[in-house]
Amino acid sequence: MQNRMMITGAGSGLGREIALRWAREGWRLALSDVNETGLQETLKLVREAGGDGFVQRCDVRDYSQLTAFAQACELKFGGIDIIVNNAGVASGGFFSELSLEDWDWQIAINLMGVVKGCKAFLPLLEQSKGKIINIASMAALMQGPAMSNYNVAKAGVVALSESLLVELAQQEIAVHVVCPSFFQTNLLDSFRGPTPAMKAQVGKLLESSPISATQIADYIHAQVEAGQFMILPHEQGRMAWALKQKNPQVLYDEMTLMADKMRAKARQGAS
């Protein structure tokens, strides 16, 4: 390990906090995002925290931009030790309301962005025997109502990570997947959904989170060090996942009730 890390979606939120957590140990960071102003701010904070690195604008939908980013890591750092596929967008809406464009947009960024990140950086990770950290969501495990396209994209990230875990073990590449619940972030900036009411409901969930992006980054750091594959930073998330594994029907019933409540609220808002 030569302490070289790549992070997508590093211009704000969890991506920035992960950068700062590793920067405190003097890591060199390759930071990418579509938000160039945010990237410059992250790099400044990284340097203040004791790390260093470079920024490169990168849209994870475009594989050529990710391969160019990997080349930049090879040129400037001589390789990479950890990749963090963190870039993501939020969306919501009942299945009947979501357009196929909504599906394409969500899958292209939240799932295929991770696939392309892993693919572009795999040759460098094979050289360094490095680590992959994919950021999924508790939505991948819980499948809450009115976010089917988000649930499917994030569940795909978990399935991809499980596949890579077993396939890359022989090459000594470690794989981790992180499933945070809602936390205070700027995810709503990218939110796409059919109704303003849905955005407001998601906003309330984000505000009520008991845990910050900084605490999540700390938890990820500790669990990666411990070699944990599935990382669930929220205690409530860990409890919900344990319940689902034991008695999934209880959770399905709970989610059905939640869907009914959301529909009732939406009707109230419309009247």
Side-chain angles (χ1 to χ4, degrees):
M1 281 267 166
Q2 291 184 41
N3 296 3
R4 303 160 299 185
M5 178 186 248
M6 172 287 266
I7 306 170
T8 64
S12 63
L14 184 57
R16 173 178 288 176
E17 293 302 334
I18 290 170
L20 293 178
R21 180 64 190 82
W22 266 265
R24 291 205 291 275
E25 295 180 4
W27 280 57
R28 288 180 289 165
L29 295 143
L31 307 165
S32 80
D33 205 304
V34 289
N35 170 6
E36 292 181 80
T37 313
L39 271 183
Q40 291 298 341
E41 178 66 18
T42 301
L43 183 60
K44 180 172 160 282
L45 293 167
V46 155
R47 286 176 173 153
E48 286 167 7
D52 200 5
F54 72 95
V55 299
Q56 188 158 319
R57 189 188 185 280
C58 182
D59 184 335
V60 296
R61 289 174 291 186
D62 183 345
Y63 185 60
S64 66
Q65 290 185 33
L66 280 158
T67 54
F69 189 34
Q71 283 163 0
C73 289
E74 192 165 23
L75 194 69
K76 295 179 184 193
F77 291 169
I80 209 80
D81 300 292
I82 299 182
I83 68 164
V84 184
N85 290 301
N86 166 72
V89 289
S91 68
F94 285 103
F95 182 74
S96 57
E97 302 165 331
L98 292 169
S99 68
L100 289 177
E101 286 74 20
D102 290 330
W103 277 90
D104 288 343
W105 177 76
Q106 183 57 239
I107 300 286
I109 299 169
N110 281 5
L111 175 55
M112 290 310 297
V114 177
V115 171
K116 290 170 183 174
C118 291
K119 190 89 178 152
F121 280 83
L122 186 59
L124 294 181
L125 291 169
E126 285 172 337
Q127 287 168 26
S128 65
K129 301 195 185 311
K131 301 179 198 289
I132 294 171
I133 303 173
N134 291 331
I135 308 296
S137 165
M138 277 311 292
L141 309 176
M142 295 293 118
Q143 288 86 41
M147 48 200 290
S148 55
N149 57 346
Y150 185 79
N151 295 341
V152 167
K154 292 296 192 176
V157 173
V158 171
L160 169 70
S161 304
E162 289 175 333
S163 305
L164 295 176
L165 175 74
V166 295
E167 285 188 27
L168 299 179
Q170 207 174 5
Q171 283 104 297
E172 297 175 62
I173 297 171
V175 180
H176 308 271
V177 65
V178 185
C179 294
S181 305
F182 286 111
F183 59 95
Q184 288 175 6
T185 176
N186 64 332
L187 203 57
L188 275 190
D189 294 351
S190 68
F191 187 89
R192 261 167 81 157
T195 62
M198 193 64 67
K199 185 168 182 173
Q201 284 188 29
V202 174
K204 277 192 187 133
L205 282 168
L206 296 175
E207 281 166 19
S208 66
S209 169
I211 183 171
S212 68
T214 310
Q215 290 167 306
I216 292 171
D218 278 339
Y219 189 85
I220 293 168
H221 186 275
Q223 295 293 299
V224 166
E225 288 288 298
Q228 182 70 31
F229 166 66
M230 185 168 300
I231 299 173
L232 309 178
H234 289 72
E235 193 181 353
Q236 277 177 308
R238 295 193 287 274
M239 284 159 60
W241 178 228
L243 170 69
K244 186 176 180 181
Q245 287 173 300
K246 204 169 164 185
N247 191 345
Q249 193 58 49
V250 172
L251 206 87
Y252 300 146
D253 293 344
E254 185 66 36
M255 293 295 185
T256 306
L257 278 174
M258 197 193 287
D260 293 343
K261 280 182 191 163
M262 287 170 89
R263 280 204 182 88
K265 243 185 191 169
R267 278 197 298 273
Q268 276 174 355
S271 59

